[in-house]
Amino acid sequence: MTTAALDLHAHDAGAHHTSMPVPSRKLAMWVFIASECMFFATLISTFVIYRDSHAKGPGPKDVFGVPLVTAGTAVLLFSSFFVVMALNGAQQGDRKKLLRWLSLTVLCGVFFVGMQVYEFTHFVTEKHLGYTTNLFASSFYTLTGFHGTHVAVGTLWLATLLKDAWKGRIPPAKALNLEIAALYWHFVDVVWIIIFPVVYLMSLGR
Amino acid sequence: MATSALEYGHATAAKRSVLVEWLTTVDHKKIGIMYGASAFIFFLIGGLEALVIRTQLMRPDNHLVTPDFYNQLFTMHGTTMIFLAVMPISAMFFNFFVPLLIGARDVAFPRLNAMSLWIFILGGLFLNFSFLLGAAPNGGWFGYAPLSSRMYAPGHNMDFWVIGLQILGVASLAAGVNFFTTILNMRARGMTLMRMPIFVWAVLVTQVLVLLSFPVITVALIYLMLDRTFGTSFFNLTANGDPMLWQHLFWVFGHPEVYILILPAFGIVSEILPVFARKPLFGYSAMVFSMAFIAFLGFGVWSHHMFATGMGPLADSFFSLATMLIAIPTGVKIFNWIGTLWGGSLQFKTPLYFALGFIAMFIMGGLSGVIHAVAPADLQQTDSYFVVAHFHYVLFGGSIFSLTAGAYYWWPKMFGKLLDEGLGKAHFWVMLAGFNLTFFPMHFVGLLGMPRRIYSYPAGLGFDTLNLLSTVGAFLLGSSFLIFSYNIIKTWRSGAQAPADPWNGATLEWSIPSPPQEWNFAVEPIVTEKDPLWGLKRAAGVKVLPEPPRVSGEGIHLPAPSWWPLIVSVGFLTFLVGIMVKHASAFPFGPISIAGFAITLYGIYKWAYEPVDGHAPTT
């Protein structure tokens, strides 16, 4: 046996040795995100296939309103920035900074979900676009509904971490707990950045 | 790892009843054994379904079962063998051996691992429960919409299929995240990627396929469920829905799924051949890259399942060529297996018998596969028994032969006893004869024009004798597993105690006692080369290392057992069953699904806040 060939990636950081320079839970979140990409890719493709299927009932141009969704998009974009600031606070052990920015992030999540609930209600009651009215409706509601569910889950997760932070349970050593949630949050944000132009803008501009 | 914080008292562990211990275990070895035991039972059920099918087809104009029950039989046979037998038997090997092969004490997320197991078992029971209601899935394992929509498939049959597959998909995805992370991050010091045992590479590539293909079937199943339950029209032709969308989504998943079934088999055979040829695997890196290449191409060939739908010459040509390309990395693997055997000092033990059987049978399945890649030829063969012959040669002749080889090879490590060699070889010869007698005639009966999934056939078409032969073969094949079962029972009662290293193995699992102690490695191994155990023996100048002592485990830290994986799994199943039961009403969520959702959410919170100390959170 040669002894010269020891793996240089193996770092001696005491308790937990990982083969790659990344904590396992963070790696797992990246892997999960890769999988989620295929999930949303399938939903988005279906919408693109079916967006013109509205022989019966209203189509994209009859229902989509850009200003409200733009506001939602902006809120979600800002929330990604806010959660980075919160993480920075957690890593520095700055509890006030952590609480301030994390509360803002959660608020953004709540606002976005609220925006979507309002939008769906408006479409159904005012524009008479029910879930099964036509395939444009079904694929639109399914895609944005699943995205909204992801935002809701993320909001619940961040709110739980906010409660932890309030009780002082997120010291710098546990900032990873927030970092992983933030990773998920950024992903949900990125998906919306694809949905916004592909679903709303491109359907209107055609 | 040896110095991390949590140690659950072995005194308290001793007080737990055996049942509680297994229900709450997070030990990858116990989880592996439970995967194997439950999957073997499902495998026997699937085999029984096959025997009823073969009995029905034994002679022309037979009426042993009703046509509808026949539909249920072939649907459940396919679904069971793929999702409840081959995948979880592979998962047994992933669970038990990946940590041992990479020199780790457990997987990266032990509780998540337990959850995958429970969701799989509950999903399998749920699917088979449908038989008791007389409403087993009856639309084929591919569930082609709109035939699987409510209009053409009323009743709960296909609901069981949709929900069952959805449940099993979650188990696979969770395991995919877990094993991908485990392999990348839990390797022993010094075990670089290109020093990993080839089986671990096979598992890694398989998890990539799982992670990228299962989300697609998840969405397709959601659409089908919405069509069936909430009245959408994703696949409803009369409302502009496109049935081709189902086929595309299904096969974008379905073809990678084929490699999910065969790559672990490749890995097992690639572990066994070097050990029984007494020389290292020929072309290790070529083996690694050919697996990666197969996985990559595997995402670009799905439409060769759809040549008969009339996609046009451009798509047909593309998918034909892409499919033929796969023959190249597969051929590389076959030549490397032969190269491994070439000039080796072959030890003719049972695992080698099955591994050689695998190579021969898989080549035959591969050859008929290349024939299908030619679109015009495929048009003659599609939906005929020729296809049935082909995929049984790759899935039974390939996967099952290899998994059986793995069972004989690793049995002593898992249970500390060696399976009987004489019975093992009898098992092999009966299985080989039965297998070929069953499936070889199907090539001919297929080319003569017998369609698959057909309930009965009239006399005088030239199908009679060939079908009778297949039926005789099927019973011979089934009896080979009686020999296997007898071997297991005999070994259990009176088998020879296995030493730590019965085969002169090359990999780390043979360096520890059989069966391994709960913590696997008393001292964390350091790896400096491929085939580390052979290196160690070479350096010590011995053929067999001294038997490793069973140590007390004092000061070794293990993750604590937990109820939450089981509870979350039960909640999740309840949630989905609630949706299925509620399908008639306008509001989708009834009290059952709300209760299931609440249990799941509560379980996740308790899980997240359960003190685990030692394991994950500090890294």
Side-chain angles (χ1 to χ4, degrees):
Chain A
M1 273 186 18
T2 54
T3 45
L6 261 179
D7 187 357
L8 294 175
H9 283 123
H11 47 122
D12 278 292
H16 254 292
H17 141 83
T18 57
S19 321
M20 312 272 284
V22 53
S24 288
R25 286 193 298 152
K26 195 167 158 185
L27 179 60
M29 180 48 78
W30 277 110
V31 175
F32 174 69
I33 285 174
S35 192
E36 287 269 271
C37 285
M38 291 301 282
F39 182 82
F40 280 106
T42 313
L43 286 166
I44 292 170
S45 311
T46 308
F47 174 81
V48 171
I49 290 169
Y50 282 148
R51 68 179 159 198
D52 294 328
S53 291
H54 47 81
K56 206 174 60 178
K61 285 183 178 160
D62 306 316
V63 293
F64 286 161
V66 171
L68 178 71
V69 190
T70 310
T73 308
V75 163
L76 211 53
L77 268 174
F78 276 117
S79 77
S80 257
F81 168 69
F82 296 160
V83 83
V84 169
M85 295 302 284
L87 178 61
N88 187 251
Q91 283 164 342
Q92 290 171 343
D94 184 342
R95 185 162 169 269
K96 264 192 182 157
K97 187 176 179 184
L98 166 61
L99 287 175
R100 186 187 318 129
W101 292 105
L102 194 53
S103 335
L104 272 175
T105 316
V106 172
L107 269 180
C108 288
V110 172
F111 177 87
F112 185 87
V113 174
M115 184 280 292
Q116 206 168 33
V117 170
Y118 170 78
E119 186 199 34
F120 281 13
T121 319
H122 177 70
F123 285 177
V124 172
T125 53
E126 311 276 310
K127 311 274 189 180
H128 306 291
L129 187 73
Y131 186 47
T132 55
T133 302
N134 51 39
L135 274 169
F136 153 67
S138 301
S139 54
F140 166 77
Y141 284 127
T142 310
L143 166 59
T144 51
F146 268 106
H147 179 267
T149 311
H150 277 72
V151 176
V153 167
T155 307
L156 199 62
W157 188 356
L158 291 170
T160 311
L161 289 170
L162 182 62
K163 191 198 82 183
D164 281 3
W166 182 262
K167 292 188 177 171
R169 285 195 200 133
I170 307 187
K174 286 196 171 178
L176 182 66
N177 285 357
L178 179 58
E179 193 178 344
I180 290 167
L183 205 51
Y184 171 84
W185 191 252
H186 293 315
F187 169 71
V188 173
D189 191 6
V190 167
V191 171
W192 185 258
I193 291 179
I194 297 168
I195 291 178
F196 179 55
V198 171
V199 172
Y200 290 89
L201 301 183
M202 282 167 68
S203 302
L204 288 176
R206 287 162 73 245
Chain B
M1 238 182 295
T3 51
S4 55
L6 186 117
E7 176 180 17
Y8 81 90
H10 287 275
T12 30
K15 276 185 225 150
R16 295 164 163 274
S17 77
V18 177
L19 182 68
V20 172
E21 190 188 326
W22 284 81
L23 287 178
T24 60
T25 188
V26 291
D27 176 2
H28 69 97
K29 298 182 288 300
K30 286 199 174 106
I31 290 172
I33 289 170
M34 285 193 275
Y35 258 114
S38 45
F40 189 64
I41 293 168
F42 288 130
F43 174 73
L44 294 180
I45 295 173
L48 211 60
E49 286 153 11
L51 289 183
V52 180
I53 291 173
R54 279 317 320 166
T55 313
Q56 161 65 24
L57 294 176
M58 180 172 65
R59 53 192 171 87
D61 301 311
N62 202 2
H63 296 288
L64 177 73
V65 293
T66 62
D68 180 59
F69 190 61
Y70 187 83
N71 290 349
Q72 299 182 21
L73 283 171
F74 73 67
T75 303
M76 281 303 284
H77 170 71
T79 306
T80 300
M81 288 308 193
I82 290 165
F83 296 100
L84 304 181
V86 174
M87 280 182 78
I89 292 174
S90 304
M92 166 181 79
F93 291 122
F94 301 172
N95 268 280
F96 205 103
F97 288 103
V98 164
L100 297 184
L101 286 163
I102 62 173
R105 289 215 166 112
D106 209 320
V107 294
F109 307 103
R111 288 179 298 172
L112 189 66
N113 202 24
M115 189 193 82
S116 293
L117 168 79
W118 295 120
I119 291 186
F120 152 68
I121 291 184
L122 290 172
L125 291 176
F126 172 77
L127 262 172
N128 280 285
F129 175 72
S130 60
F131 273 119
L132 300 182
L133 301 183
N138 53 2
W141 87 277
F142 39 78
Y144 273 0
L147 283 178
S148 49
S149 65
R150 190 160 296 285
M151 193 191 299
Y152 302 105
H156 273 317
N157 307 54
M158 288 313 278
D159 290 330
F160 274 107
W161 184 80
V162 171
I163 304 275
L165 250 55
Q166 202 70 283
I167 294 168
L168 296 170
V170 171
S172 296
L173 280 168
V177 171
N178 205 347
F179 278 92
F180 190 90
T181 310
T182 302
I183 293 170
L184 282 191
N185 236 6
M186 305 278 285
R187 282 167 286 142
R189 281 163 217 269
M191 182 171 282
T192 55
L193 287 173
M194 292 310 274
R195 283 182 194 155
M196 292 199 309
I198 192 81
F199 176 67
V200 179
W201 264 111
V203 179
L204 184 67
V205 175
T206 305
Q207 302 315 328
V208 173
L209 289 170
V210 168
L211 289 162
L212 299 182
S213 71
F214 268 76
V216 182
I217 186 77
T218 302
V219 173
L221 289 169
I222 288 169
Y223 290 153
L224 186 54
M225 188 186 79
L226 292 170
D227 271 10
R228 290 183 60 81
T229 309
F230 303 137
T232 54
S233 310
F234 285 103
F235 308 116
N236 180 358
L237 209 58
T238 52
N240 285 328
D242 192 347
M244 288 289 279
L245 179 65
W246 171 267
Q247 292 204 23
H248 279 295
L249 294 182
F250 184 83
W251 289 114
V252 167
F253 149 79
H255 200 80
E257 170 69 20
V258 173
Y259 298 120
I260 293 168
L261 299 172
I262 198 68
L263 284 178
F266 285 178
I268 291 169
V269 165
S270 308
E271 288 296 334
I272 289 175
L273 292 177
V275 169
F276 292 90
R278 294 278 177 272
K279 63 196 271 276
L281 183 67
F282 185 83
Y284 171 90
S285 37
M287 290 300 241
V288 170
F289 288 115
S290 59
M291 277 197 288
F293 194 43
I294 289 173
F296 175 75
L297 286 176
F299 276 101
V301 299
W302 76 87
S303 285
H304 70 211
H305 296 270
M306 302 162 57
F307 283 144
T309 57
M311 295 176 296
L314 187 65
D316 280 2
S317 313
F318 174 85
F319 286 106
S320 272
L321 284 170
T323 307
M324 288 178 203
L325 270 182
I326 290 197
I328 296 172
T330 315
V332 168
K333 299 194 78 67
I334 288 169
F335 281 114
N336 281 351
W337 287 322
I338 296 170
T340 306
L341 293 166
W342 191 268
S345 156
L346 299 185
Q347 316 285 310
F348 279 98
K349 299 284 174 58
T350 310
L352 183 64
Y353 274 57
F354 280 98
L356 295 177
F358 160 87
I359 297 177
M361 296 304 104
F362 184 76
I363 288 176
M364 291 178 59
L367 288 177
S368 53
V370 176
I371 299 173
H372 293 147
V374 185
D378 184 72
L379 287 179
Q380 300 300 315
Q381 295 151 1
T382 194
D383 275 337
S384 81
Y385 260 86
F386 191 84
V387 176
V388 180
H390 159 69
F391 68 70
H392 280 94
Y393 266 86
V394 286
L395 286 184
F396 201 114
S399 301
I400 301 280
F401 267 74
S402 169
L403 293 173
T404 316
Y408 279 94
Y409 177 59
W410 274 318
W411 196 275
K413 184 52 64 188
M414 292 180 76
F415 300 105
K417 290 195 171 178
L418 280 152
L419 284 169
D420 187 86
E421 275 290 306
L423 285 171
K425 283 170 187 167
H427 174 192
F428 170 76
W429 288 115
V430 177
M431 186 160 132
L432 187 74
F435 169 76
N436 281 292
L437 188 56
T438 310
F439 296 109
F440 199 72
M442 288 186 188
H443 291 109
F444 299 107
V445 87
L447 289 179
L448 283 173
M450 179 164 164
R452 45 189 297 210
R453 299 186 280 268
I454 200 87
Y455 158 70
S456 190
Y457 53 91
L461 292 175
F463 302 164
D464 312 10
T465 320
L466 291 167
N467 270 297
L468 183 62
L469 282 178
S470 283
T471 304
V472 172
F475 278 91
L476 197 61
L477 186 54
S479 66
S480 75
F481 281 90
L482 289 181
I483 304 176
F484 184 48
S485 305
Y486 174 67
N487 199 349
I488 292 173
I489 294 165
K490 183 168 175 269
T491 304
W492 197 271
R493 288 197 178 148
S494 59
Q497 209 65 37
D501 182 15
W503 316 115
N504 187 5
T507 37
L508 291 174
E509 79 272 32
W510 306 109
S511 70
I512 54 173
S514 303
Q517 292 177 284
E518 201 179 348
W519 43 85
N520 299 348
F521 297 92
V523 180
E524 284 181 69
I526 294 176
V527 176
T528 54
E529 59 186 323
K530 269 192 309 236
D531 300 331
L533 209 55
W534 278 354
L536 211 61
K537 291 170 190 168
R538 205 163 47 239
V542 293
K543 282 200 169 149
V544 184
L545 290 168
E547 193 70 11
R550 294 187 87 83
V551 294
S552 79
E554 199 71 31
I556 295 177
H557 307 278
L558 294 168
S562 172
W563 279 105
W564 301 114
L566 180 57
I567 291 169
V568 168
S569 312
V570 170
F572 179 64
L573 178 79
T574 315
F575 171 66
L576 285 181
V577 171
I579 290 182
M580 179 180 125
V581 175
K582 192 69 181 158
H583 74 81
S585 108
F587 186 67
F589 305 112
I592 300 175
S593 41
I594 290 169
F597 184 74
I599 295 170
T600 311
L601 196 66
Y602 179 72
I604 289 173
Y605 266 84
K606 294 300 277 187
W607 175 330
Y609 283 105
E610 190 174 45
V612 280
D613 304 290
H615 219 79
T618 49
T619 50

